[in-house]
Amino acid sequence: MPSVSWLPERLNRWLTVERPVTYWSFWAALLRLVPLLAALFVAVFFAVGEGFALRSFAPLPYVFVAATLGYAVRAFDGLGVLLSLILAAVYGFLLWLSGVGTALLSQPTPLLSALAALAFAAVVAGFSAPTLHADRGAENLERARREWQEE
């Protein structure tokens, strides 16, 4: 990813996805955001309360899974697609088991709608990740498709 001139160098390196972009490097880049999101969760938890914080932040892992699923589909990475779908199913089961999933669906918050839109944007961003990170051109997609067909 090209450098952004107005960002401090350390922050720019922290937000940059390593090249070449792979399913795992994409996950690693997304997981680097966890400390920032955890701090935001703690702030909301203490400012508003436990119930609102849980309902607001519980769907967030789906945004990560959606982005990696989009990337895996773009890269014809069957293992990545399978892992993303398994993670989504396991996380959904855990939400259902804990009762948070039922609370989310019975008392939706405006943030839930925003996160649903963000998950859709994450799928699109994941799908276009090689393009976003300077691997422009259809030849990369064509090469990945050929490699997938050969396997």
Side-chain angles (χ1 to χ4, degrees):
M1 185 165 111
S3 295
V4 179
S5 60
W6 54 270
L7 282 177
E9 182 60 33
R10 185 172 179 183
L11 181 62
N12 196 23
R13 273 185 281 130
W14 187 65
L15 292 173
T16 301
V17 177
E18 297 173 15
R19 291 187 49 124
V21 179
T22 65
Y23 179 79
W24 298 110
S25 69
F26 199 63
W27 258 117
L30 288 172
L31 291 177
R32 282 190 295 234
L33 298 174
V34 169
L36 175 68
L37 295 171
L40 190 59
F41 174 81
V42 168
V44 170
F45 182 86
F46 285 116
V48 182
E50 176 185 0
F52 183 80
L54 282 175
R55 284 193 314 271
S56 298
F57 285 87
L60 199 55
Y62 282 116
V63 175
F64 289 177
V65 171
T68 57
L69 176 64
Y71 177 79
V73 168
R74 167 70 160 81
F76 294 102
D77 182 358
L79 178 62
V81 169
L82 181 64
L83 288 175
S84 292
L85 291 175
I86 288 172
L87 282 172
V90 167
Y91 186 67
F93 177 73
L94 291 174
L95 285 178
W96 172 76
L97 195 63
S98 67
V100 174
T102 305
L104 279 172
L105 296 176
S106 64
Q107 301 170 351
T109 64
L111 189 56
L112 184 60
S113 299
L115 283 172
L118 189 58
F120 176 75
V123 168
V124 172
F127 185 78
S128 64
T131 303
L132 291 175
H133 301 291
D135 287 340
R136 292 181 172 85
E139 64 274 356
N140 290 326
L141 180 60
E142 185 62 31
R143 181 177 31 85
R145 186 180 65 75
R146 271 183 276 150
E147 290 173 2
W148 176 71
Q149 286 178 335
E150 288 173 4
E151 291 175 359

